[in-house]
Amino acid sequence: MSVKILDGKLLARDLKNALKNEVEVLKKEIGFVPRLVNVMVGDNHGACAYAKSQKKAAEYIGIQYELETLPEDVSRQDFSECIKRLNADESVNGIMIHKPIPKHIEYGDIAQYVDTDKDLEGINVTNIGKMLVGETKIIPCTPASVMEHIKSTGIDLYGKEAVIVGHSVIVGKPLSLLLLEQFATVTVCHIATSEAGRLQEHVRRADIIVVAVGKPSVIKGDWIKEGAVVIDVGINQVNDKIVGDVEFDAACKKAAFITPVPGGVGPVTVIMLMRNGIEAFKAQMKKKGK
Ligand code: NAD
């Protein structure tokens, strides 16, 4: 079976163009466009690269995007005051907190200050709860990107065996809900699955396998089921190369579809952030009767 590489840059381009059209219509109807603010602490190189790609995507789509930088030694109080100020500013439609943040501040704690209506990343507990009952369009960006990749294969998830490796709050857990909504049969594996020596048996039966661990080659290529869809979320630096969590070349011999790293899930994740910004803007305008 020949594998099809799921090109995240191409998918991102198509999604970006659709959002650009949507923003043009919103601008005509409402008179202005969404304004998003990314709050970053310190000057982390990786985080800056991600912020740069967000800025570029926002400019293309026609959204206002700003970076608010706080000092590395910012206190919890000053950090939360900054978020509250942005919450209160009616001209700001979306807020995100750029990771990493300094160790002296708990990410989950600060994230809860972000107004539910402006929560660009869908990380606020209220939005997570709304997602559980299917009441929000603000979906955490990485799981949303994974779902777009799966959708692009044209495969119907109904009754399929979907196996997620990694159970983090930002990827694995919310993704399990999105897959369940499509009636996939979902298994979530994690470190204890590996320690129990049972990772391989779960991966082997997966029609759809999504890996978000952060360890190169944690999934061996020959574990992949013939004809499976393989979505690799992992990002690992090995020597001077970026690689995913799946043994790519070996997995290509078995899979029907696979995402590359880099150039797979990442580029679409950025666009999902923009989509959340537009959804937040539309919901706020609706509340205001515009
Ligand atoms: P995390 O550290 O919060 O969670 C890692 C998960 O992997 C946990 O569930 C843990 O139990 C599991 N795990 C660890 N070792 C394992 C093993 N040997 N076998 C099975 N499971 C194991 O990580 P995260 O924040 O979810 O990120 C995971 C990876 O995805 C990282 O490489 C990160 O850089 C990447 N990531 C990429 C994007 C993107 O848009 N492309 C977005 C977010 C995260």
Side-chain angles (χ1 to χ4, degrees):
M1 173 177 280
S2 69
V3 67
K4 183 170 186 312
I5 309 291
L6 297 171
D7 185 335
K9 286 186 186 157
L10 272 184
L11 181 58
R13 191 197 60 190
D14 292 348
L15 293 165
K16 211 161 56 174
N17 283 332
L19 293 180
K20 185 180 168 73
N21 292 339
E22 190 173 356
V23 169
E24 271 166 21
V25 174
L26 286 172
K27 194 174 175 183
K28 274 192 200 128
E29 283 175 4
I30 300 173
F32 50 100
V33 296
R35 179 179 168 216
L36 314 182
V37 178
N38 179 3
V39 183
M40 186 191 276
V41 182
D43 189 11
N44 174 289
H45 179 73
C48 282
Y50 188 37
K52 270 185 199 151
S53 54
Q54 288 169 359
K55 186 168 188 289
K56 214 171 136 195
E59 277 170 4
Y60 182 85
I61 293 167
I63 290 176
Q64 282 188 58
Y65 173 92
E66 288 150 42
L67 205 58
E68 174 117 13
T69 314
L70 298 173
E72 189 74 38
D73 60 353
V74 65
S75 67
R76 184 185 168 282
Q77 163 104 16
D78 287 349
F79 202 153
S80 60
E81 288 303 328
C82 166
I83 302 294
K84 285 183 200 165
R85 175 173 49 76
L86 295 170
N87 284 343
D89 184 341
E90 285 213 18
S91 73
V92 173
N93 306 108
I95 303 165
M96 72 168 285
I97 298 167
H98 217 109
K99 289 184 288 299
I101 62 171
K103 286 200 173 66
H104 65 278
I105 293 172
E106 178 70 37
Y107 175 77
D109 172 32
I110 280 296
Q112 299 318 313
Y113 283 98
V114 176
D115 187 305
T116 307
D117 292 342
K118 299 188 179 184
D119 173 22
L120 275 188
E121 295 179 291
I123 42 156
N124 188 299
V125 283
T126 307
N127 279 329
I128 293 172
K130 283 185 176 177
M131 190 177 71
L132 181 67
V133 289
E135 272 179 17
T136 180
K137 289 188 173 164
I138 307 291
I139 306 292
C141 305
T142 307
S145 165
V146 170
M147 293 306 286
E148 286 297 333
H149 276 284
I150 296 172
K151 192 172 156 196
S152 76
T153 66
I155 287 174
D156 184 2
L157 284 168
Y158 195 92
K160 295 284 190 310
E161 288 287 334
V163 174
I164 303 168
V165 188
H167 76 317
S168 69
V169 175
I170 59 161
V171 190
K173 284 182 186 168
L175 179 64
S176 66
L177 297 175
L178 298 174
L179 289 165
L180 276 176
E181 216 163 82
Q182 303 292 314
F183 285 92
T185 305
V186 183
T187 305
V188 184
C189 303
H190 39 68
I191 184 72
T193 320
S194 261
E195 286 174 359
R198 304 194 65 175
L199 188 57
Q200 181 177 352
E201 76 185 65
H202 288 293
V203 174
R204 277 198 184 282
R205 59 179 173 73
D207 300 310
I208 318 289
I209 167 92
V210 184
V211 190
V213 170
K215 290 181 182 166
S217 300
V218 72
I219 303 299
K220 309 295 170 210
D222 62 3
W223 294 359
I224 303 298
K225 183 178 170 180
E226 199 73 42
V229 177
V230 180
I231 312 286
D232 193 347
V233 180
I235 303 171
N236 307 290
Q237 175 110 30
V238 176
N239 301 322
D240 54 357
K241 268 183 80 183
I242 300 290
V243 299
D245 289 341
V246 179
E247 279 183 348
F248 184 79
D249 291 340
C252 281
K253 292 186 181 134
K254 305 289 279 298
F257 297 92
I258 190 167
T259 56
V261 179
V265 174
V268 178
T269 301
V270 178
I271 309 306
M272 297 296 96
L273 188 82
M274 301 299 140
R275 184 165 82 182
N276 279 350
I278 295 167
E279 290 302 333
F281 175 79
K282 287 195 302 196
Q284 288 160 36
M285 293 306 120
K286 200 174 167 193
K287 262 193 186 171
K288 288 181 181 168
K290 291 194 176 176

